[in-house]
Amino acid sequence: MTNSTAERSSYLMRAGLVRNVRSGEHLTTFVVSGVATVLVTRLLLSLSGYPQIGGKGLHIAHVLPGGLLMLIAISLLLGYVGPVVRPAAATVGGIGFGLFIDEVGKFVTSDNNYFYKPTAAIVYVVFVLIVLGFRFLTTRRPIDPREELANVIDHAVEGVAGGLSRRRRAEASELLRAVPQQVQGRRETRELLAACPADEVELAAPVDAAWQALQRWFERLATHPKAPRVAVAVLALQVVGALVIAIVVGDGLNHLPVLGVTAGSLLSATFTVRGALALRKGNRARAVRLFELAVLVSLLMTQVFQFAATQFAAAFGMLLDLVMLGLLRAERDRMRREVESATKARTLRLPPDPDLPPFPEDPSDPV
């Protein structure tokens, strides 16, 4: 961390802007809930013949329950402390935002046209901008150890009032292990966690359970022996499929969105080929980075034009890109953990063994 970055980080924390280490998970929950809501809403309305709720000149648009759900999410965040409520607020808020943004066609056309053709592309771009903007704000500087400690204390907030379950205590302890010993307040925080009474009563956490299960599934798939070849095949099919669908559903190669899909597909194909060559040379880390770039180009460029050309028919390609991105991120994280484990083993002059328990940072430190 450079001096300027450290100074900016210190200023923001002094101003009370401490980042949540799980903000990425909450953002993903929000976006997935929102996108799923848009797709499900469009599907249900199509199957039911686009009914109108109301009568006698009234029409209750689904933007209204969307606003109500966003209000509920804000109320949850404002009314309760601690990390327990955030996954639920992200889910409820995402559903509400999905219902809201689904009607964007009515707000940008003079005739309130829900079927405005660019709506799909507008919705997609909005979600992309949300993700990019959020990541810019939260990841442009490394997490400060003091922020990590603040997140541990955030876990202790609920424990002070209602006790901590074994799962919650383990989460807090895992965060505390990442905080260096010299950070002021670490010892007191450890003592605070130890003082929290045990209590196995906790709210159901289906969102957390779902993400943990999905992460385990991604890790299993990423380590499968055939995973590299399947990844290359899927990326290649994605490139060809996106181009074919855009040409068939669009108005031919002279249509601007189709030209955009073509350019994005060619760029993704370039990264895919380079990744395949790196894989043949045994450079798995470089191959994963190149494959990830291919998927990101597809998500941030190709799919934008694909939604403009084919509207919501592009949803399958987007979902496939997201699955591929999840697999590649899981593999990248696994390789990073291997490198960290090997580095730690060399530091302690011990052979790296993934089956060994994590090394304690201090024999006298139970956490």
Side-chain angles (χ1 to χ4, degrees):
M1 185 183 297
T2 63
N3 290 335
S4 60
T5 303
E7 291 175 1
R8 184 167 60 250
S9 175
S10 178
Y11 173 78
L12 291 174
M13 285 187 290
R14 287 169 56 194
L17 298 176
V18 179
R19 289 170 296 176
N20 188 338
V21 295
R22 294 188 60 191
S23 59
E25 295 178 28
H26 300 324
L27 172 67
T28 304
T29 301
F30 176 87
V31 171
V32 169
S33 300
V35 171
T37 299
V38 172
L39 297 177
V40 171
T41 300
R42 291 270 169 169
L43 176 62
L44 292 178
L45 289 177
S46 176
L47 293 176
S48 59
Y50 297 96
Q52 289 191 351
I53 301 176
K56 297 182 179 180
L58 296 177
H59 169 55
I60 302 176
H62 50 268
V63 69
L64 297 178
L68 178 61
L69 289 174
M70 286 190 283
L71 175 61
I72 292 174
I74 294 172
S75 300
L76 289 173
L77 294 174
L78 294 178
Y80 295 91
V81 297
V84 174
V85 74
R86 292 183 192 126
T91 304
V92 174
I95 295 173
F97 186 77
L99 291 172
F100 161 75
I101 199 65
D102 180 59
E103 299 221 61
V104 68
K106 292 184 177 181
F107 307 135
V108 298
T109 56
S110 58
D111 57 349
N112 296 329
N113 185 9
Y114 178 73
F115 302 100
Y116 182 53
K117 189 174 181 180
T119 294
I122 294 173
V123 171
Y124 185 80
V125 169
V126 166
F127 278 110
V128 168
L129 291 177
I130 289 174
V131 173
L132 293 179
F134 191 87
R135 287 188 62 82
F136 173 76
L137 291 174
T138 58
T139 63
R140 59 190 178 128
R141 55 188 173 88
I143 293 288
D144 190 280
R146 291 168 293 178
E147 290 180 300
E148 293 177 332
L149 184 62
N151 278 266
V152 179
I153 298 172
D154 188 41
H155 275 74
V157 166
E158 60 176 290
V160 169
L164 284 175
S165 65
R166 284 191 296 269
R167 183 176 69 87
R168 294 288 183 187
R169 194 183 300 274
E171 289 178 0
S173 299
E174 186 66 26
L175 287 174
L176 189 58
R177 287 192 184 96
V179 180
Q181 295 275 359
Q182 65 271 20
V183 174
Q184 185 177 3
R186 186 188 187 280
R187 180 177 59 82
E188 291 81 1
T189 302
R190 185 187 66 189
E191 293 173 353
L192 178 61
L193 280 178
C196 292
D199 187 354
E200 293 304 318
V201 177
E202 63 176 357
L203 290 176
V207 175
D208 289 348
W211 284 125
Q212 290 170 6
L214 188 63
Q215 185 176 13
R216 290 193 297 269
W217 181 70
F218 277 151
E219 289 177 351
R220 285 198 299 269
L221 287 182
T223 54
H224 193 279
K226 295 183 179 180
R229 283 177 289 179
V230 172
V232 174
V234 170
L235 289 173
L237 288 174
Q238 175 77 327
V239 168
V240 176
L243 189 56
V244 171
I245 292 173
I247 293 174
V248 172
V249 181
D251 298 328
L253 286 174
N254 60 341
H255 193 41
L256 179 60
V258 178
L259 293 176
V261 171
T262 303
S265 298
L266 291 175
L267 189 55
S268 290
T270 301
F271 286 124
T272 301
V273 171
R274 291 178 61 189
L277 293 175
L279 200 60
R280 284 179 62 88
K281 295 178 181 179
N283 193 341
R284 191 180 181 94
R286 177 172 172 77
V288 169
R289 287 197 300 271
L290 289 168
F291 290 154
E292 194 171 346
L293 284 174
V295 175
L296 289 174
V297 168
S298 179
L299 279 171
L300 300 178
M301 179 178 176
T302 307
Q303 293 300 335
V304 173
F305 291 104
Q306 187 76 292
F307 272 93
T310 66
Q311 300 190 57
F312 289 96
F316 178 76
M318 176 197 68
L319 295 176
L320 186 60
D321 278 339
L322 292 175
V323 170
M324 288 299 300
L325 187 62
L327 290 172
L328 292 168
R329 291 278 171 87
E331 177 62 9
R332 187 185 64 181
D333 291 343
R334 185 191 67 81
M335 291 189 295
R336 176 182 54 80
R337 290 195 300 269
E338 283 186 352
V339 171
E340 291 176 351
S341 176
T343 302
K344 197 167 189 177
R346 284 196 300 270
T347 302
L348 297 176
R349 297 181 180 179
L350 292 173
D353 187 350
D355 295 326
L356 289 176
F359 296 101
E361 55 186 13
D362 184 347
S364 64
D365 187 352
V367 179

